[in-house]
Amino acid sequence: MFGRRALIAALVLLFGVAGAKAGPEARKAHSFSPEGLAKVSDYIRNEIVAGTFPGAILLLQQHGKPVYCENFGVRDIATEISMSADTIFRLYSMSKPVTTVLAMMLVEEGKLSLDDPVSKYIPAFGKMKVGVEKKAEDGKVSLELEPLNRAVTIKDLMRHTAGLPYGYYGGGPVNKLYADAGLFDNKALTNAELVAKIAALPLAEQPGTNWDYGLSTDVLGRIVEVISGKTLFAFAKERLLDPLGMTDTAYYVADPAKWPRIAEPMPKDRAISPMTQIRDPRQPLKWESGGGGMVGTIGDYARFSQMLLNGGTYDGRRYLKPETIALMASDHIGPETKVARDQNYYPGSSSGFGLGFAVRTSVPPGTSWPLGEYRWDGVGGTFFFIDPEDDLFGIFMVQTPSQRGRIQLALKTLIYQAMGR
């Protein structure tokens, strides 16, 4: 199903370095220097002193054990409760890898294929068109609908080549239609109702032609529901969250006793876009957003990350096969695919995109950062990365929508400098 050549390439990417560690000629994993880690701590403390965010947690885990884990500051400046391991964060797009793992479980079981058309599970997708901007001789711009050159596939959803944007003003006529549709405004929608609204809109591009970050993983979450016959959260709890011990991961914080554990950004740092404020995870939701709805703790996400780093196993239980993890962590939008990347290509010039993650495909100038590192982040400020070459993962938990990109780059740089990379 995956293709022999693609599978071999994926296995080499994931295990060609990390998997070679057992051999006598194996490359030794980089280790951290105390001086380098002290600079990491100083950076975070200085940001708190500067008033960027109230508090944060950073975990670096190597060879299955924490090598660095520090809590900084407070959860919320209004309560001044110290940051601690049980603090609950809005994960936003760090939900996407979780949903993709759930879908890949169904792929392994033969209930879903990467090449399946989305319309097999959501028939309305078979009627979708592509919105194309046309300019008349008089200069007037109109939006015309054209038929699809091919069907949107499951793989398109996982790698963000389905033509499904999030929608923002100033991003073209199709983006404006998505923004005007208010897809994020009505939290009373179920996944089925949300996807029905999406299917009534045009695609922004022909499937498979452009990396367009948006609602694809929400549609994927709905497909998980269709196949499993369960809500996304019920399936996630049964197959992944409960077995892994991710007991605080959910789509909202249902228990009022846990509300004081919720991390908050600074009072003036609550906008995740010009149109949308950071959400209140205390409010009950029908919408179980596979693309951005989860909340959770650093311990929960650490279990998930270690499972991925282990090649699909954790604490004696297998969740995915090693070759499946390898496939997810390989680039699926490389030059041979002719997938275009615009100015909003968030993974950056040194990375491609796999199935649910950005994947490093070249070494950034002036560094020796590892190839094959895969990662993603959330609009609330959280990020994680998995570095198979060094048998390492890192998770940074914070709530600062406005400063997330700057801080992620600075911290990743300091972390790798602490390893001599």
Side-chain angles (χ1 to χ4, degrees):
M1 176 177 55
F2 297 146
R4 179 177 174 80
R5 185 172 297 177
L7 178 57
I8 291 172
L11 286 167
V12 168
L13 175 66
L14 187 62
F15 299 116
V17 177
K21 288 182 290 190
E25 309 250 337
R27 182 185 301 176
K28 186 177 180 182
H30 294 76
S31 58
F32 291 96
S33 72
E35 298 81 9
L37 291 177
K39 291 179 180 179
V40 171
S41 300
D42 288 344
Y43 176 83
I44 298 171
R45 291 193 188 98
N46 288 338
E47 290 291 334
I48 293 174
V49 170
T52 307
F53 47 80
I57 309 176
L58 176 62
L59 168 65
L60 302 172
Q61 185 155 305
Q62 190 173 33
H63 309 315
K65 297 179 180 179
V67 293
Y68 177 102
C69 187
E70 285 202 37
N71 305 321
F72 300 87
V74 298
R75 297 170 178 167
D76 181 354
I77 60 168
T79 64
E80 296 187 337
I81 298 174
S82 294
M83 187 63 72
S84 58
D86 64 349
T87 301
I88 298 170
F89 296 83
R90 301 162 182 84
L91 299 177
Y92 282 107
S93 287
M94 278 170 56
S95 309
K96 289 180 172 70
V98 175
T99 303
T100 309
V101 163
L102 295 172
M104 292 305 289
M105 290 177 170
L106 297 174
V107 170
E108 284 195 350
E109 293 168 7
K111 297 176 181 176
L112 181 67
S113 168
L114 298 182
D115 296 325
D116 281 345
V118 172
S119 58
K120 179 178 179 179
Y121 309 97
I122 303 171
F125 261 69
K127 301 176 182 178
M128 292 185 77
K129 307 284 187 183
V130 177
V132 179
E133 186 176 336
K134 300 284 187 178
K135 185 176 286 188
E137 290 183 4
D138 61 3
K140 288 185 178 180
V141 176
S142 62
L143 186 67
E144 296 185 8
L145 300 181
E146 296 183 351
L148 304 189
N149 292 336
R150 67 160 175 80
V152 179
T153 66
I154 301 302
K155 185 176 182 179
D156 286 321
L157 297 180
M158 291 183 179
R159 66 179 186 168
H160 295 286
T161 56
L164 294 170
Y166 269 133
Y168 60 96
Y169 296 109
V174 175
N175 275 274
K176 186 177 185 301
L177 286 177
Y178 278 71
D180 288 343
L183 300 174
F184 299 103
D185 298 336
N186 190 348
K187 304 301 190 296
L189 294 177
T190 63
N191 282 341
E193 292 165 339
L194 175 76
V195 170
K197 292 184 72 171
I198 292 170
L201 297 167
L203 300 179
E205 303 92 17
Q206 287 288 347
T209 62
N210 193 58
W211 191 89
D212 196 347
Y213 193 61
L215 291 156
S216 291
T217 316
D218 286 284
V219 177
L220 184 66
R222 173 56 188 157
I223 290 171
V224 170
E225 292 184 334
V226 171
I227 295 173
S228 68
K230 300 173 182 177
T231 67
L232 184 58
F233 187 44
F235 184 75
K237 278 180 67 65
E238 176 187 311
R239 298 295 302 275
L240 186 69
L241 303 181
D242 286 353
L244 272 176
M246 298 173 68
T247 55
D248 284 315
T249 302
Y251 290 97
Y252 65 93
V253 184
D255 183 358
K258 293 183 178 181
W259 290 355
R261 293 166 50 191
I262 297 172
E264 297 293 349
M266 299 299 284
K268 293 184 179 179
D269 187 15
R270 301 188 68 85
I272 61 172
S273 78
M275 296 127 23
T276 309
Q277 294 290 301
I278 199 166
R279 75 179 184 90
D280 183 358
R282 300 164 186 82
Q283 297 298 318
L285 287 176
K286 282 188 178 180
W287 182 26
E288 296 174 356
S289 171
M294 284 186 154
V295 298
T297 62
I298 195 163
D300 280 10
Y301 217 87
R303 293 179 182 90
F304 177 70
S305 299
Q306 188 67 60
M307 179 273 291
L308 294 173
L309 182 57
N310 290 347
T313 61
Y314 185 84
D315 200 20
R317 177 169 177 153
R318 178 162 296 286
Y319 296 85
L320 287 175
K321 298 175 183 177
E323 55 265 35
T324 300
I325 301 290
L327 187 77
M328 295 174 71
S330 59
D331 185 17
H332 288 265
I333 59 166
E336 72 284 355
T337 68
K338 298 182 180 179
V339 172
R341 307 176 185 187
D342 61 19
Q343 69 274 14
N344 294 318
Y345 182 66
Y346 304 119
S349 60
S350 67
S351 295
F353 203 85
L355 305 179
F357 320 99
V359 181
R360 191 165 308 286
T361 53
S362 64
V363 179
T367 78
S368 61
W369 290 10
L371 298 177
E373 176 218 68
Y374 57 102
R375 66 195 186 277
W376 204 233
D377 55 84
V379 75
T382 60
F383 71 84
F384 83 109
F385 66 95
I386 295 176
D387 170 6
E389 181 176 319
D390 294 304
D391 194 22
L392 167 76
F393 72 81
I395 305 171
F396 186 59
M397 292 293 205
V398 71
Q399 304 283 245
T400 176
S402 68
Q403 301 299 310
R404 65 186 187 274
R406 175 183 67 85
I407 288 171
Q408 181 177 168
L409 178 59
L411 265 181
K412 284 288 291 295
T413 301
L414 288 170
I415 289 166
Y416 276 125
Q417 284 176 350
M419 302 178 75
R421 307 205 72 157

